[in-house]
Amino acid sequence: MSAALLEVRDVVRSFGGVRAVDGASLDVEAGSITSLIGPNGAGKSTLFNIVSGFLRAEAGTIAFEGRRIDRLPPHRIAQAGLGLVPEGRQIFPTLTVEENLIATAASRFATPRWTLDAIYDFFPQLAGRRQHMGNELSGGEQQMLAIGRALMTNPKLLILDEATEGLAPMLRLDIWRCLARLKDEGQAILIVDKHLSALVKLADRHIIIEKG
Ligand code: ADP
Ligand code: MG
């Protein structure tokens, strides 16, 4: 049997003696949508930041396509094919939409799925705003930009941390529609979101995390 796309094993991370992530393990299969469900403070964002290389685990291993990534810096993990849409969007506020997108542009493929044109085709609202600064966008547009920026790395696995947080219901619906289209294309996704009814429609598998 071939390895899962992402394999997280027994990952531990503490802050000031408190275990935020306490022996977490999960698999994400290629082409599948996996949700991570748990209450506030359960350690979901900490785990995503560890997987993406922004935080170090104290123990445990992480493999991507069968290769260890838990000692790699974030840019090498992104190059390996893991794209994070972080909690709170974290777009560059004083760069334009286009500069935000170009900032992460990378591809291991001769004919990448995601180019600037492909992003503007997928998110038509961004096309009309390509010269606007990040901080001039609405919340929904900022979220599309955050997703677009992650897609520009042409990720094999897209990780979304609360991507619909703080958006009006109509705008949330736009994001869910985009994610459903990515699913139809076979994009593998690992997602945390508070809107469980939409999440259960999208995801193939759910993993529960309680206290790390
Ligand atoms: P979730 O994303 O599931 O809401 P987090 O991963 O953000 O949870 O947080 C898990 C726990 O770790 C919480 O108790 C939080 O207060 C703590 N924590 C997260 N990041 C830090 C940090 N940088 N410093 C100290 N404590 C932190
Ligand atoms: Mg979180």
Side-chain angles (χ1 to χ4, degrees), residues 39-46 87 161-162 192 194:
N40 276 340
K44 306 180 297 296
S45 295
T46 302
E87 191 168 31
D161 194 354
E162 312 264 12
V192 163
K194 291 199 175 62

Coordinates of all heavy atoms in Angstrom, one line a residue, residues 39-46 87 161-162 192 194, ligand 2:
P39 N -12.9 22.0 19.5 CA -13.2 23.3 20.1 C -12.1 24.3 20.0 O -11.0 24.0 19.7 CB -13.6 22.9 21.6 CG -12.8 21.7 21.8 CD -12.8 20.9 20.5
N40 N -12.4 25.6 20.4 CA -11.4 26.6 20.4 C -10.3 26.2 21.4 O -10.6 25.6 22.5 CB -12.0 27.9 21.0 CG -12.6 28.7 19.9 OD1 -12.4 28.5 18.7 ND2 -13.5 29.6 20.3
G41 N -9.1 26.4 21.0 CA -8.0 26.0 21.9 C -7.6 24.6 21.9 O -6.7 24.1 22.6
A42 N -8.2 23.8 21.0 CA -7.9 22.3 20.9 C -6.5 22.0 20.4 O -6.0 20.9 20.5 CB -8.9 21.6 20.1
G43 N -5.9 23.0 19.7 CA -4.6 22.8 19.1 C -4.5 22.7 17.6 O -3.5 22.3 17.0
K44 N -5.6 23.0 16.9 CA -5.8 22.9 15.5 C -4.8 23.8 14.7 O -4.0 23.3 13.9 CB -7.2 23.2 15.0 CG -8.2 22.3 15.8 CD -9.7 22.6 15.3 CE -10.1 24.0 15.5 NZ -10.2 24.4 17.0
S45 N -4.8 25.1 15.1 CA -3.9 26.0 14.4 C -2.4 25.7 14.7 O -1.6 25.8 13.8 CB -4.2 27.4 14.8 OG -5.5 27.8 14.3
T46 N -2.2 25.3 16.0 CA -0.8 24.9 16.3 C -0.3 23.7 15.5 O 0.8 23.8 14.9 CB -0.7 24.6 17.8 OG1 -1.2 25.7 18.6 CG2 0.7 24.2 18.2
E87 N -4.9 31.0 9.6 CA -6.0 31.7 10.3 C -5.8 33.2 10.3 O -4.6 33.7 10.4 CB -5.9 31.2 11.8 CG -7.1 31.5 12.6 CD -7.1 30.8 13.9 OE1 -6.0 30.5 14.5 OE2 -8.2 30.5 14.4
D161 N -7.2 27.1 7.4 CA -7.5 27.3 8.8 C -8.6 28.4 9.0 O -8.2 29.6 8.9 CB -6.2 27.7 9.6 CG -6.3 27.5 11.1 OD1 -7.5 27.3 11.6 OD2 -5.3 27.7 11.8
E162 N -9.8 28.0 9.2 CA -10.9 28.9 9.5 C -11.1 29.9 8.3 O -11.2 31.2 8.6 CB -10.7 29.7 10.8 CG -10.3 28.8 12.0 CD -11.5 28.4 12.9 OE1 -12.6 28.7 12.5 OE2 -11.2 27.9 14.0
V192 N -10.0 23.2 8.7 CA -10.6 23.5 9.9 C -11.6 24.6 9.7 O -11.3 25.6 9.0 CB -9.6 24.0 11.0 CG1 -10.3 24.7 12.1 CG2 -8.8 22.9 11.5
K194 N -15.6 26.3 11.5 CA -16.6 26.2 12.5 C -18.0 25.9 12.0 O -18.9 25.5 12.7 CB -16.7 27.5 13.3 CG -15.5 27.8 14.1 CD -15.8 28.8 15.2 CE -14.6 29.0 16.1 NZ -13.4 29.5 15.4
Ligands
MG2 MG -7.2 28.1 15.4

